[in-house]
Amino acid sequence: MNKVDAIAAKQIRNDIPEFRVGDTVRVDYKIIEGKKERIQAYEGIVVAKKGSDVSETFSVRKESAGVGVTRIFPVNAPTIDKITVIRKGKVRRAKLNFIKNMSKEYKVKERN
């Protein structure tokens, strides 16, 4: 194992639950405002997962006041406090980017 792999192995988090595209998740992430720090929740459907190891990211989409908002989170970031899987969804696509253009709400079937 070279030095780059050794440093990357230290940064991978083991406390992240397993989730897939189509799952509804709540991401609690830390926000730093000046000297204050607080935790804010962001709940929505996982639209895409990308990358592997240290550079893995996932996109979460939610409706906020009738406007669709998509946010990309790095999985191994220290700013993520915890990820909770609310509902497991069953989808047949690896990326759900098509729901951005839909006029009505996208329904996801429940997975056991």
Side-chain angles (χ1 to χ4, degrees):
M1 182 185 294
N2 60 14
K3 292 181 181 181
V4 174
D5 292 338
I7 293 171
K10 291 179 188 175
Q11 295 179 352
I12 294 176
R13 294 176 59 171
N14 297 325
D15 61 337
I16 304 297
E18 185 178 321
F19 60 92
R20 296 196 255 180
V21 174
D23 293 354
T24 303
V25 296
R26 180 186 296 119
V27 181
D28 295 331
Y29 62 99
K30 298 174 190 171
I31 294 180
I32 300 169
E33 297 170 331
K35 294 180 181 176
K36 295 181 183 177
E37 184 177 299
R38 64 185 172 94
I39 295 176
Q40 183 168 338
Y42 192 92
E43 185 174 331
I45 297 175
V46 177
V47 176
K49 284 183 84 173
K50 178 177 167 180
S52 64
D53 295 334
V54 178
S55 62
E56 185 176 1
T57 61
F58 64 100
S59 300
V60 180
R61 182 170 177 84
K62 73 172 185 174
E63 286 280 323
S64 180
V67 178
V69 180
T70 304
R71 180 153 183 184
I72 301 171
F73 293 100
V75 173
N76 297 302
T79 54
I80 291 181
D81 188 47
K82 68 178 178 179
I83 299 173
T84 310
V85 178
I86 306 291
R87 187 169 173 260
K88 295 184 177 191
K90 181 180 180 183
V91 294
R92 295 174 66 182
R93 300 275 181 264
K95 302 218 180 335
L96 302 179
N97 292 324
F98 64 90
I99 66 172
K100 295 176 189 174
N101 302 326
M102 295 183 72
S103 58
K104 61 181 184 176
E105 188 177 333
Y106 181 69
K107 303 275 185 184
V108 178
K109 293 181 183 178
E110 185 112 17
R111 175 172 46 100
N112 295 341

